[in-house]
Each structure stands twice: as structure tokens, then as C-alpha cells.
Amino acid sequence: MRQIILDTETTGIDPREGHRLVEIGAVEMVNRRLTGNTYHQYINPEREIEAEAVAVHGITNERVADEPVFAAVADDFWAFIEGAELVIHNAPFDVGFMDHEFEMLNRRRGEPRLGPVAEHCRILDTLQMARDKHPGQRNNLDALCKRYEIDNGHRVLHGALLDAEILADVYLAMTGGQTALSLDASAGSGEGAATGNTGLVIRRLALEPGRLGVPSPNEAELAAHQAKLGRIREAAGECLWDRLAKGGTSS
């Protein structure tokens, strides 16, 4: 299954008041593994950004003055998300802004028409998912990072691509803690690591497709293994591992 974990930043809260998108960030995941494909675009909103919004995401009018308008990037963005399941925290907010942009674009240019998003993509709202799993608790992205022990210390201001990357780790932790695997060779195996509440490490690995190294245990790990087997022998009188090591069977 192809999923797009997505976040946006805007000029204000309500598109019905004329507010617009100023940033889109999205990462691609296929069968619960990050592919390394991303979409990131700053947008000239063709209007002023409210001071309250700048305080949240840090994107100023000057920063986006020379960026393309939405109409110039809409087709590439649509091609990236069409047909995928969109994983979004507080999806009605982001989808509302995207539909508003597509609707304005469609009125100006006619065909081909883009959107509405929900008619071409499945929508998964991780905020609603978190509320169902953790009723009565804070479920914003920062709170979920703390709950699932995901490092977001590099997140000072909101940013669409950064928030999408963090949300990918949160989503994986919320839905079983499966490791996020990136086939993007530029992604370092030591960066962006985080742990979920299962104790497993969520880490983006820089590997070539089809190649997965199997590490050998060190002396301390071998000693811990033997100690564990000893405790099993003492408690049960035998250890299945010993029988298998000698070529025996479990029956």
C-alpha cells in the first residue's frame, strides 16, 4: 500500500477567510517502509501571512516572496499524492486548505480539474486515531512524540517536511512500531533514530535495495545469550536451543 505522510503550513487558520498554503511537505511510504521519495515546496500565497502564523512556523512574507504560486506547482503535487492514502495529523485542516487551493485553481483554468482530495485519496487522520487510543490525553504531535519516546528535539518551529517525517515515526509507533526502512542512500543510519514504546528502534537505514546486512553478535551479547540459556536449563531441565544445535527436532 502506498501512503503519503503529509503536512502543510498556512497563512492563517481558515481558508474561508482567504488564507492560503505557504508550505507543503510529504514523505512516501510503501508497505510501511519509507522509500526516500519526498515532496517539499514553499509557496507564494499571494497574500500576507498573519503574525500568529509566522510565530508558529517561522515562514515570513519575505521568505516566500520569490517562491512559485500554487498554480505553478499544483500538477506536480497532485501527481505525487493522487491515489495514495494520505496520513495527516488533524486531516480536516490540511485537506480543507488543499481543496480550497484546487478549487480556486479549477475556477481559473477549467480543465483538467484537480481534487477534491477525498475523492481521489484515502484519508487517515492520526489525530483522531490518537484520540481513540488515548482518550482524555493531549494528542498533538509533540505529546505523541513524548508518549512514544520519539526524539523531536530538533523541532523548534513547525515545518511541513520535518513534521511529516516526525509524523511518519509516530504513525509507525502507534500502529505497531514497525521499523521505518528507507532505501534512500543519502539517509544516514545514525540520524533520526527514535524508539517507540515497544522498546524497538525506529531507524532509517541507508541500504541498497535487496541487501540487508546481518550483524554478528559481540562477546558481551554472546555471553548474555549463554547466561539466558543457562537460566532456561536450570528452570526447565533442558533447553530446546541445545537440541536444535545438535541437529535434533522439537518433536
Side-chain angles (χ1 to χ4, degrees):
M1 178 174 62
R2 181 172 183 263
Q3 295 172 297
I4 301 296
I5 295 81
L6 183 146
D7 186 61
T8 67
E9 302 297 345
T10 66
T11 63
I13 294 177
D14 194 341
R16 293 172 298 182
E17 297 177 358
H19 287 294
R20 306 284 301 276
L21 294 175
V22 294
E23 185 186 12
I24 302 171
V27 297
E28 181 185 60
M29 185 183 295
V30 176
N31 296 329
R32 293 180 59 80
R33 282 166 168 76
L34 292 169
T35 66
N37 292 332
T38 65
Y39 180 92
H40 184 223
Q41 181 65 59
Y42 289 103
I43 299 167
N44 181 337
E46 305 177 90
R47 59 153 292 158
E48 293 293 304
I49 305 172
E50 289 190 345
E52 292 85 353
V54 175
V56 172
H57 51 58
I59 302 171
T60 64
N61 295 295
E62 293 75 21
R63 170 64 185 83
V64 293
D66 296 324
E67 297 293 341
V69 299
F70 183 80
V73 303
D75 291 294
D76 286 344
F77 175 54
W78 184 251
F80 189 77
I81 67 170
E82 186 181 15
E85 179 178 68
L86 305 185
V87 180
I88 308 173
H89 204 65
N90 192 17
F93 178 87
D94 300 86
V95 172
F97 269 94
M98 290 188 287
D99 280 344
H100 177 64
E101 294 285 357
F102 286 131
E103 183 181 351
M104 289 192 298
L105 175 64
N106 291 334
R107 285 200 301 265
R108 286 199 298 268
R109 78 176 188 183
E111 301 293 338
R113 297 182 62 83
L114 304 180
V117 172
E119 292 184 6
H120 299 267
C121 305
R122 293 178 59 190
I123 310 295
L124 192 157
D125 185 358
T126 52
L127 177 58
Q128 186 59 54
M129 179 187 296
R131 287 171 174 167
D132 293 340
K133 290 174 67 69
H134 311 289
Q137 301 184 50
R138 295 177 65 244
N139 288 301
N140 61 33
L141 197 55
D142 287 335
L144 290 173
C145 285
K146 183 176 181 180
R147 186 171 303 139
Y148 288 98
E149 300 180 13
I150 291 172
D151 180 16
N152 67 336
H154 50 308
R155 182 177 184 260
V156 179
L157 295 170
H158 289 263
L161 184 59
L162 175 59
D163 281 2
E165 291 172 344
I166 292 173
L167 180 58
D169 287 344
V170 168
Y171 168 72
L172 289 169
M174 288 175 63
T175 56
Q178 177 163 344
T179 300
L181 173 62
S182 172
L183 302 182
D184 177 9
S186 66
S189 61
E191 296 293 329
T195 57
N197 62 350
T198 60
L200 299 176
V201 175
I202 298 175
R203 187 185 300 275
R204 298 187 179 91
L205 302 177
L207 299 174
E208 296 179 12
R211 296 183 60 185
L212 180 63
V214 179
S216 299
N218 58 37
E219 292 184 4
E221 290 168 333
L222 286 171
H225 173 66
Q226 291 301 325
K228 178 67 173 179
L229 296 183
R231 291 193 294 272
I232 294 173
R233 296 185 193 103
E234 183 178 350
E238 66 171 343
C239 179
L240 179 59
W241 186 277
D242 297 333
R243 191 186 305 174
L244 294 175
K246 293 176 181 178
T249 64
S250 58
S251 59

